[in-house]
Amino acid sequence: MKISNHRSRRAAVAVALGSVLALTVTACGDDGSGTGGDKGSEGSGKGEIVFWDNNGGVRTDIWKEIIADFHKANPDIKVEYVGIAATEYQSKVDTAIQGGGLPDVGGVGAAMAAGFAAQGALEPLDGRLSKSSLNGELNEAMVESLKSAGGGEALYSIPTSANNGVLYYRTDLFKAAGLDEPTTWDAFYKAAEKLTDKDENKFGYTIRGGAGSIAQALDAMYGQSGLTSFWDSSGEKTTVNDPKNVAALEKYVGLYKKVTPAADLNNDFTKMVAQFDSGTIGMLNHNLGSYQDHVKAFGDKFRGIPQPTGPGGKRVQVSNPVDGLGMFKSSKNKEAAWKFIEFAMSHEENSKFNESAGQVPANNDAAKDEWIQKAEPTKLAAAALTDGSTSIVQLPYYLPDWNTISKADNEPAFQKVMDGQTSAKEFLDSLADQLNKAQAEWNEQKG
């Protein structure tokens, strides 16, 4: 998405935001061919609905399995599956909001909820959930996270799963090199250097420079600085360019090409994961979603642990967005759309989805299933999120421009930091300026 598109989107969001904040729980929508402002209808509860997967390719197989289960249980409803790559999803939905072609149901994670809701595209789901068999069966923290991300006035997405930042490392390589496991940032940097042998094309780490780079960089920054809030005490100025974060980013980016492959400059998560799984890299920062890929590549010769601890033995991580399913207001068959969402969140189906994804289930019963005890990274991540050992820096998903600022607007700028064209301080000062303006706009609309 280019900056010009970002500006026009911001204008649309600004116009829509005031009315969205006043929304109450209703049941009005449109069809899969309408725009964001169309009102749709409940429909017959039968016939065809369209589902857009926000992580197409990666999650296609498991969603097709869930859809097949749904068809058996609901022979009067047909779900048309459309898989869209995660990197293209926001742009496609934004285009459909303005020009038509929205689906009935789509992936709506915390990072995108505010932007879509502010354009009037999403159906509030509080009322449907309260009358559903799912009421009281979902992780309340995930529900609240999505409600907050959507602006706090209504629930626009039903959670499927929670993710978490994970440090994957090759236990066999660490053992051969006599290294302690990278549970602290000091141990992490030591291992990254010791496991690197450029002449043998071996590297200690792979750093994310392509799509999705900003969230990973923020995780490394706050993890090392120990700062635990994204905003200062006034709530108006971000801490991203705090001197401690600047120093942390300088050290982290300094890994590029020193202990990482040069190709990392353009690597998104799929390329980064594939590179790690090729077997010549010691460590990878990703999330729970790639766990099964590493199992296939290494068997039991790797571990996935929570992020390293920093100052004073304290672990700090930035929040990973809760993922979920939303209903687009434009649907003309909302009754059938809700049946699909409700089915996908049931114990058996939500467990099946999250076992495939390696993530923490939103369904409380699914979260107790045996596979979680066997999937160590998921088990450790769930514990880290609930046992008080980790401070979570809550990213401002509620800002309608958050996803654009943290992706399209700054990923190219981060690459310039990596290759030495821009300093870490210049980059973070610019990022902070954009975030502070977005926060001011949000506060003005709320006020």
Side-chain angles (χ1 to χ4, degrees):
M1 190 184 300
K2 295 181 180 178
I3 299 299
S4 58
N5 288 340
H6 169 39
R7 286 173 180 154
S8 63
R9 181 173 180 272
R10 176 176 286 186
V13 167
V15 170
L17 189 53
S19 59
V20 169
L21 289 173
L23 280 175
T24 56
V25 179
T26 60
C28 53
D30 184 348
D31 78 281
S33 64
T35 57
D38 296 337
K39 289 190 174 181
S41 62
E42 284 300 302
S44 66
K46 301 178 181 179
E48 184 172 312
I49 60 171
V50 178
F51 165 52
W52 283 7
D53 175 11
N54 61 340
N55 201 0
V58 178
R59 301 281 177 256
T60 296
D61 289 346
I62 187 59
W63 273 121
K64 286 190 172 181
E65 188 176 331
I66 291 170
I67 289 169
D69 291 345
F70 179 75
H71 286 160
K72 289 178 184 177
N74 298 271
D76 293 332
I77 304 173
K78 179 185 176 184
V79 179
E80 178 186 340
Y81 171 87
V82 179
I84 302 169
T87 54
E88 300 172 4
Y89 188 76
Q90 178 182 321
S91 177
K92 188 171 179 66
V93 173
D94 280 340
T95 298
I97 288 172
Q98 299 303 317
L102 284 167
D104 299 273
V105 177
V108 180
M112 297 185 187
F116 296 161
Q119 296 176 82
L122 296 176
E123 175 84 357
L125 299 174
D126 310 67
R128 295 177 195 271
L129 179 60
S130 68
K131 299 172 185 176
S132 165
S133 60
L134 295 175
N135 190 35
E137 300 300 315
L138 301 177
N139 183 296
E140 193 58 36
M142 295 188 201
V143 173
E144 287 303 313
S145 177
L146 282 175
K147 188 166 185 174
S148 174
E153 298 298 316
L155 179 66
Y156 293 107
S157 183
I158 304 298
T160 55
S161 52
N163 217 328
N164 200 33
V166 176
L167 179 60
Y168 294 105
Y169 72 97
R170 291 282 303 280
T171 52
D172 54 340
L173 300 183
F174 269 69
K175 184 177 180 180
L179 288 164
D180 295 329
E181 63 177 352
T183 56
T184 68
W185 282 101
D186 287 343
F188 164 82
Y189 281 107
K190 178 182 177 181
E193 186 171 346
K194 189 165 184 179
L195 293 173
T196 298
D197 186 341
K198 293 183 181 179
D199 293 338
E200 296 291 327
N201 197 37
K202 295 178 181 178
F203 298 93
Y205 186 60
T206 174
I207 191 171
R208 189 169 184 169
S213 60
I214 305 301
Q216 184 167 308
L218 291 173
D219 220 9
M221 285 163 44
Y222 282 93
Q224 294 174 82
S225 71
L227 297 172
T228 57
S229 176
F230 195 78
W231 303 103
D232 67 9
S233 57
S234 72
E236 298 176 354
K237 302 294 183 184
T238 180
T239 59
V240 294
N241 60 339
D242 182 282
K244 292 180 180 179
N245 275 335
V246 173
L249 185 61
E250 287 173 345
K251 187 172 184 180
Y252 182 68
V253 171
L255 296 171
Y256 176 58
K257 287 201 294 190
K258 180 182 176 184
V259 298
T260 80
D264 283 356
L265 183 68
N266 297 302
N267 279 356
D268 59 11
F269 83 90
T270 54
K271 294 175 183 175
M272 185 177 66
V273 166
Q275 190 168 257
F276 177 71
D277 289 345
S278 70
T280 60
I281 293 173
M283 295 181 290
L284 162 76
N285 269 118
H286 191 228
N287 55 45
L288 294 166
S290 59
Y291 170 65
Q292 294 293 347
D293 296 309
H294 311 320
V295 171
K296 292 175 185 176
F298 305 122
D300 62 356
K301 295 179 181 178
F302 82 100
R303 286 191 76 197
I305 61 176
Q307 298 286 51
T309 57
K314 185 169 60 174
R315 180 185 298 112
V316 179
Q317 294 182 205
V318 299
S319 56
N320 274 261
V322 174
D323 206 3
L325 294 182
M327 184 191 303
F328 286 94
K329 188 184 290 187
S330 59
S331 172
K332 285 201 170 83
N333 201 348
K334 293 178 184 177
E335 185 178 338
W338 177 251
K339 286 180 182 177
F340 175 64
I341 292 174
E342 193 173 37
F343 182 86
M345 302 310 174
S346 65
H347 176 180
E348 182 178 349
E349 302 301 323
N350 189 240
S351 183
K352 185 182 297 185
F353 175 83
N354 282 287
E355 183 175 10
S356 172
Q359 297 177 354
V360 181
N363 185 292
N364 290 326
D365 289 331
K368 300 172 186 174
D369 284 350
E370 186 178 353
W371 66 264
I372 290 184
Q373 302 305 312
K374 298 177 181 178
E376 186 189 37
T378 304
K379 181 181 178 182
L380 293 176
L385 292 173
T386 58
D387 66 5
S389 67
T390 305
S391 296
I392 303 295
V393 177
Q394 295 295 336
L395 298 180
Y397 302 124
Y398 58 84
L399 294 177
D401 282 335
W402 166 253
N403 219 40
T404 304
I405 290 172
S406 64
K407 292 183 181 293
D409 286 2
N410 281 288
E411 286 173 351
F414 181 69
Q415 289 177 318
K416 291 182 178 180
V417 180
M418 288 179 64
D419 65 15
Q421 297 182 52
T422 304
S423 72
K425 186 177 188 306
E426 289 171 326
F427 167 73
L428 291 177
D429 283 345
S430 174
L431 177 60
D433 183 59
Q434 295 169 63
L435 289 165
N436 291 339
K437 288 178 180 176
Q439 178 79 338
E441 290 177 8
W442 168 253
N443 287 333
E444 184 179 348
Q445 292 292 340
K446 280 181 64 180

